[in-house]
Amino acid sequence: MDNKEIDLYRNTALRYCGYANEVGEALRPVIPKKVVHLSYGVAIAYVIGDCIDKTVKTYQNPKILGGHQITAAAKTAGDVFIWQMLASVIIPGFIINRITWGAGILSKRSKNLPSIARKWLPTCIGLAAIPLIIRPIDNAVDHAMDRTYRKYV
């Protein structure tokens, strides 16, 4: 039996809250802007929750001795917050926004499509793109963090 602790924010269904803003961006053409903004609130609350969780665990780690808990916790807080904001909110939100916007332009130009298809096609394309962008964005943010924040902090 594996005694490894399950990371609530990375290894459970709660992880999907980090993608709330991507869903909001994909649905932007068919829902009120306030709902899109609310989706960002959900994603940012997820980021803050993960940041607090990892920071507290680092601070309480008995292996960190000699009064270095605050320094280690601060580094963890910065790392988790920057990584999550980039990988879960800013970059994927922008990409899904642009994919949905572009699909909307193309669907409006396609006069052969029924009006319901012109309305919903951008949203469907945006939603379909979400699983395709996650891993490349995560890897790119890891790469960038390894060469910047993690290298110098």
Side-chain angles (χ1 to χ4, degrees):
M1 184 171 179
D2 189 3
N3 289 337
K4 190 174 181 182
E5 182 181 345
I6 293 175
D7 185 337
L8 178 68
Y9 290 90
R10 308 274 171 102
N11 305 119
T12 69
L14 185 60
R15 175 69 181 112
Y16 295 112
C17 289
Y19 305 129
N21 65 304
E22 287 94 310
V23 173
E25 286 296 346
L27 292 170
R28 184 182 285 272
V30 296
I31 62 174
K33 272 188 186 177
K34 289 181 181 182
V35 179
V36 175
H37 296 159
L38 179 63
S39 74
Y40 275 86
V42 170
I44 292 169
Y46 164 83
V47 169
I48 292 169
D50 190 28
C51 187
I52 291 169
D53 179 61
K54 302 294 183 306
T55 302
V56 168
K57 286 178 180 172
T58 299
Y59 183 77
Q60 294 174 342
N61 186 342
K63 294 178 184 175
I64 301 171
L65 302 172
H68 297 288
Q69 292 92 343
I70 292 174
T71 302
K75 287 178 182 179
T76 296
D79 188 278
V80 173
F81 185 77
I82 293 167
W83 191 93
Q84 283 285 14
M85 286 301 292
L86 289 171
S88 296
V89 180
I90 297 168
I91 297 170
F94 176 77
I95 291 172
I96 296 300
N97 176 283
R98 297 293 82 196
I99 288 171
T100 304
W101 174 81
I105 297 285
L106 293 175
S107 70
K108 287 176 186 171
R109 290 181 183 169
S110 303
K111 300 299 179 191
N112 295 338
L113 287 174
S115 63
I116 190 81
R118 281 196 304 271
K119 179 179 180 180
W120 283 95
L121 190 59
T123 291
C124 292
I125 291 171
L127 289 171
I130 293 170
L132 302 175
I133 68 169
I134 292 169
R135 190 165 313 278
I137 290 172
D138 287 357
N139 291 339
V141 172
D142 272 333
H143 182 78
M145 292 288 291
D146 287 344
R147 279 152 187 74
T148 58
Y149 184 89
R150 293 174 184 154
K151 185 175 182 178
Y152 298 108
V153 175

